[in-house]
Amino acid sequence: MRGMGYTDFLEVGASARPDEFVCTFRVEHDPKVKFEWAAGAIAAESSIGTWDPGLTTMTGEERQYGARVIKLDEAQKLVTIAYPPALFEFGNLTQLLSSVVGNVYGLKEVQKLRFLDIEMPKDFVRSFKGPQLGMQGVRDLTGIHDRPILGTIVKPKLGLSAENWAKAAYNAWRGGIDFVKDDENLTSMTFNDFYRRVDLVMEAKKKAERETGEKKLYFCNISAPVTEMKRRADYLIGRGNDYVMIDVLTVGWSAVQEMRDFLDGRGIGIHAHRAMHGAFSRLEEHGIDMLPVSKWIRMVGADTLHAGTMGAGKMFTEGGKSHARGIYEMLRGDMHGLKTTFPVASGGMHPGVIHVVWDAVGDADFCSAAGGGVHGNPLGSEAGARAMRQAVEAYQKGIPVEEYAKTHEELAAAVKRWGTSPPGGSE
Ligand code: CAP
Ligand code: MG
């Protein structure tokens, strides 16, 4: 055999070997070709094939590395492909993505393509460091073991001076918030220099810790070119901080892996913000599902990761509640022994909706972050933070927030302003 046409990549009915990678795609093929031809094209392009079936360089040896379409369901448009492990460089996530979610999106045979999920063998998963702290480590850091960990994003997201930013952070910590985080687009700005902000926020953090007796965290956004990220991380750690935040999708996989290596053994948490994910995850018939992307983010080392609010907040819930719960369960469940990643419900959270997420998750093992829902409280940021804690107390006591608000002024101000429904929707 010299060549390999797309149909050579079909082995429908075969099963995957235990060391193989198994990917599921939803495919809308070009009606000019058959469904199985398009499926074969995907398997070929993501493994060893090309458009010409008669390569003179093919001796036959290479055939063992070809991916195999092992399942086809044309009615559901589903294609399952098994990939031999030799196709992938262990410890190199970029290479995996260039294969399985790379060129395949541009093939003429395919009109729309959704990457739904990936199963990876243990050795591959374990070739990544995974989270350094994991959920247990984050809980130990905060000393909070019986409730969700509560955070805030200082708002407005851009525009505040370093001084005013640090003041808002201090107020939120004082009111009972556990972690304060930078927004995804706040790095080092003309009006708010990174290093100045860190100096002021670290002072504010220590003061808040002294006054409240509670451990506080600062998820500081170090996203930048890698050399500068390292400088920022070192600066933060030098000032006693134990957490960094990275916009993992916009800085890129290799940069995250590099930072995870850089922080190894230093006991530093990584908060992963997923800004830009909607560009490829939102339209259900095309793009990449957040389930596999969240698996990869856990593998490259996120201790906390935005995982959505399951309909309680301002952002679109891709795939509905049950799909979102699947991502929460994946992050919190076993992944070949890697540490777990704390799911963070963020985007339009406020005291009147925390119970919605809590009910959907089914337990207290999640983090919640609220920007507008803390700093938009008419009584101010400190009261806004207190209202979040009161909403948590209400839930723990089994009392509806509206009821609890009758005896808690800060919660009352929140509920009066936002009620108990998610923000947005109608004008
Ligand atoms: C939340 C947030 C986050 C979103 C991103 C924001 O602020 O900081 O970036 O949570 O979405 O700027 O919107 P608010 P996701 O609390 O003021 O809404 O978590 O789904 O990735
Ligand atoms: Mg944000």
Side-chain angles (χ1 to χ4, degrees), residues 153 155 157 183-184 273-274 306 314-315 346-348 370-372:
I153 315 98
K155 300 281 169 173
K157 54 205 296 170
D183 228 318
E184 67 283 351
H273 196 289
R274 58 180 185 168
H306 290 243
K314 72 178 186 190
M315 306 297 267
S346 185

Side-chain angles (χ1 to χ4, degrees), residues 173-399:
W173 274 322
R174 246 186 86 89
I177 281 293
D178 307 308
F179 68 85
V180 176
K181 81 176 221 10
D182 288 343
D183 228 318
E184 67 283 351
N185 54 352
L186 176 67
T187 55
S188 197
M189 324 303 294
T190 50
F191 51 83
N192 187 331
D193 175 76
F194 177 89
Y195 296 94
R196 172 112 185 104
R197 180 167 78 255
V198 169
D199 287 348
L200 295 171
V201 173
M202 291 310 292
E203 257 175 56
K205 180 165 107 82
K206 282 178 195 139
K207 191 163 176 245
E209 284 175 337
R210 271 198 312 276
E211 291 170 359
T212 60
E214 293 176 350
K215 167 74 182 169
K216 304 294 183 184
L217 300 179
Y218 176 31
F219 293 179
C220 180
N221 189 4
I222 61 168
S223 302
V226 177
T227 308
E228 178 58 18
M229 274 205 279
K230 290 181 179 173
R231 194 168 158 237
R232 291 179 188 181
D234 275 339
Y235 192 80
L236 268 170
I237 297 165
R239 267 146 197 77
N241 205 32
D242 28 37
Y243 230 103
V244 299
M245 163 178 160
I246 302 178
D247 297 336
V248 290
L249 299 174
T250 53
V251 304
W253 299 101
S254 158
V256 181
Q257 282 198 258
E258 175 75 15
M259 288 311 298
R260 174 63 183 85
D261 286 347
F262 184 69
L263 297 171
D264 199 39
R266 298 164 84 178
I268 305 297
I270 297 177
H271 175 70
H273 196 289
R274 58 180 185 168
M276 198 175 81
H277 80 90
F280 56 77
S281 68
R282 183 165 181 158
L283 301 179
E284 288 185 18
E285 68 276 22
H286 188 74
I288 313 175
D289 193 283
M290 270 316 280
L291 176 65
V293 175
S294 302
K295 287 183 180 175
W296 295 327
I297 297 174
R298 176 171 170 186
M299 281 158 58
V300 294
D303 297 283
T304 38
L305 166 66
H306 290 243
T309 61
M310 307 205 200
K314 72 178 186 190
M315 306 297 267
F316 177 74
T317 301
E318 156 204 358
K321 249 188 210 179
S322 64
H323 177 267
R325 203 176 299 118
I327 296 176
Y328 272 62
E329 290 316 315
M330 181 282 295
L331 292 174
R332 307 182 326 161
D334 179 54
M335 195 177 186
H336 298 304
L338 287 190
K339 285 189 180 165
T340 49
T341 299
F342 241 125
V344 181
S346 185
M349 291 295 297
H350 63 76
V353 292
I354 187 143
H355 67 279
V356 179
V357 185
W358 208 327
D359 280 344
V361 178
D363 59 50
D365 260 343
F366 66 99
C367 303
S368 155
V374 165
H375 306 282
N377 188 302
L379 304 178
S381 302
E382 186 175 336
R386 214 164 277 144
M388 284 304 304
R389 286 283 284 265
Q390 290 163 356
V392 166
E393 279 162 30
Y395 191 91
Q396 285 178 317
K397 292 178 180 165
I399 303 169

Side-chain angles (χ1 to χ4, degrees), residues 85-127:
L87 283 171
F88 305 115
E89 182 184 346
F90 283 41
N92 182 348
L93 199 65
T94 297
Q95 192 267 345
L96 175 77
L97 270 68
S98 296
S99 302
V100 298
V101 287
N103 286 0
V104 288
Y105 288 93
L107 289 171
K108 274 188 181 165
E109 287 80 359
V110 166
Q111 289 183 337
K112 286 181 186 162
L113 181 64
R114 180 74 170 180
F115 187 82
L116 294 170
D117 201 5
I118 183 168
E119 291 303 328
M120 295 158 280
K122 180 178 179 184
D123 290 356
F124 183 78
V125 170
R126 293 305 298 254
S127 69

Side-chain angles (χ1 to χ4, degrees), residues 162-174:
E163 286 74 12
N164 288 340
W165 202 101
K167 249 181 243 163
Y170 168 75
N171 288 334
W173 274 322
R174 246 186 86 89

Side-chain angles (χ1 to χ4, degrees), residues 21-77:
F21 293 60
V22 179
C23 298
T24 321
F25 298 85
R26 198 184 307 114
V27 183
E28 266 181 59
H29 66 295
D30 184 330
K32 285 198 219 85
V33 299
K34 283 199 165 136
F35 183 65
E36 51 265 41
W37 180 261
I42 295 167
E45 187 63 35
S46 56
S47 62
I48 63 168
T50 186
W51 59 275
D52 188 286
L55 297 178
T56 56
T57 44
M58 269 293 189
T59 61
E61 284 286 293
E62 309 77 11
R63 182 67 190 97
Q64 61 183 307
Y65 302 121
R68 302 171 300 136
V69 175
I70 56 170
K71 232 189 264 172
L72 280 176
D73 180 344
E74 189 165 359
Q76 299 296 319
K77 303 178 183 155

